[in-house]
Amino acid sequence: MSYTTLVSGASGDIGRACALALARRGDRIAVHCHTHPDAAEALVQAIRSEGGTAESFRANLTQPEEVRALHRKVEQAFGAVTMLINNAGLAGVAQFQDIEECDWNRVVDANLKSAYLLTRAVLPGMIAQKSGCIVNIASMWGQVGASCEAHYSAAKGGLIAMTKALAKEVGPSGIRVNCVAPGVIETDMIKDLERDAREALINETPLRRLGLPGDVAGAVLFLTGPDASFITGQVLGVNGGFVM
């Protein structure tokens, strides 16, 4: 079966890996981006070069009207969304007393409000079809909290709680909702880490390496596939044992 799959934040490393993996399965991929349209278009071309189907769509996911417009365009291009990967997000590092309200709102909106708005847009169609699958990309810091990342941890923790609550609510409609909580992944988010900090993170990880975007994509591929048909409301940690 071919799915229409919307991947938010697909121009980033994890989103790109997820989009490629799902396209190779045969999904029609709606590649969402906000600030990096060139990277999104390059991903579309990469998918098409492998014989897949994809198109890029640009929107600010914290703005309801832009989310509604994005949803309409995706449906016009590919039909009803059957898979949603809420991957869009934004990191933030600061001591709690230094987090200004605008910074708190920016991080929480990018990570949590965006998922709320996008899920709300696609959910009526899934309910009407009595099927669908949503995977939220959170973080291990949403599970245990991170020093100097209270706003990021709060947003990702909220995403985990939303996952569980929504799974209970829409399960009777045949819709599954799960969460992937990555650990430290080799992405642009950590490219500026000093060598000592990187080594410390590796040493704290039982598998003694940092994760790769493909590790996260593998978890998403599983959770959206037939082998996970009786799995909902779960948080799958992809962290090398950093958090257990």
Side-chain angles (χ1 to χ4, degrees):
M1 180 178 180
S2 180
Y3 303 107
T4 293
T5 301
L6 171 55
V7 182
S8 71
S11 57
D13 296 308
I14 291 176
R16 175 183 174 85
C18 291
L20 284 168
L22 295 165
R24 288 164 183 157
R25 181 174 67 187
D27 294 16
R28 299 177 294 273
I29 307 297
V31 173
H32 161 265
C33 73
H34 178 208
T35 57
H36 298 95
D38 292 343
E41 191 55 37
L43 173 57
V44 168
Q45 295 306 318
I47 291 171
R48 290 175 178 173
S49 71
E50 295 183 2
T53 301
E55 189 171 330
S56 64
F57 303 86
R58 189 174 185 180
N60 180 346
L61 297 184
T62 69
Q63 301 301 313
E65 65 278 6
E66 292 197 32
V67 172
R68 288 192 292 268
L70 165 67
H71 182 231
R72 286 195 300 270
K73 291 175 183 177
V74 172
E75 285 201 322
Q76 288 168 1
F78 295 138
V81 174
T82 47
M83 299 274 182
L84 172 62
I85 314 301
N86 279 313
N87 169 72
L90 180 69
V93 178
Q95 291 188 334
F96 189 83
Q97 65 269 23
D98 294 329
I99 300 174
E100 299 292 341
E101 183 178 359
C102 61
D103 295 323
W104 178 277
N105 290 339
R106 181 171 58 89
V107 171
V108 172
D109 284 358
N111 290 283
L112 184 55
K113 183 180 179 180
S114 64
Y116 150 69
L117 289 174
L118 201 49
T119 301
R120 189 177 67 169
V122 306
L123 205 53
M126 291 183 176
I127 291 172
Q129 295 296 321
K130 294 292 184 181
S131 67
C133 184
I134 299 169
V135 177
N136 297 319
I137 308 298
S139 166
M140 66 179 180
W141 301 135
Q143 296 174 287
V144 299
S147 175
C148 297
E149 294 186 57
H151 44 355
Y152 181 75
S153 299
K156 293 301 190 180
L159 191 56
I160 290 171
M162 188 181 86
T163 297
K164 295 183 177 186
L166 189 60
K168 293 177 181 179
E169 183 175 329
V170 300
S173 295
I175 301 163
R176 297 187 300 109
V177 188
N178 289 293
C179 185
V180 175
V184 185
I185 307 296
E186 290 276 14
T187 65
D188 283 344
M189 191 179 291
I190 66 164
K191 68 179 181 180
D192 295 327
L193 275 181
E194 294 182 357
R195 181 175 179 178
D196 289 348
R198 179 182 292 268
E199 289 298 321
L201 289 169
I202 291 173
N203 290 333
E204 286 186 69
T205 304
L207 289 183
R208 291 298 188 271
R209 71 172 176 89
L210 301 184
L212 300 173
D215 295 322
V216 181
V220 171
L221 194 63
F222 165 69
L223 286 173
T224 58
D227 289 340
S229 64
F230 198 53
I231 297 175
T232 195
Q234 303 304 306
V235 181
L236 179 53
V238 182
N239 58 48
F242 198 109
V243 170
M244 297 187 187

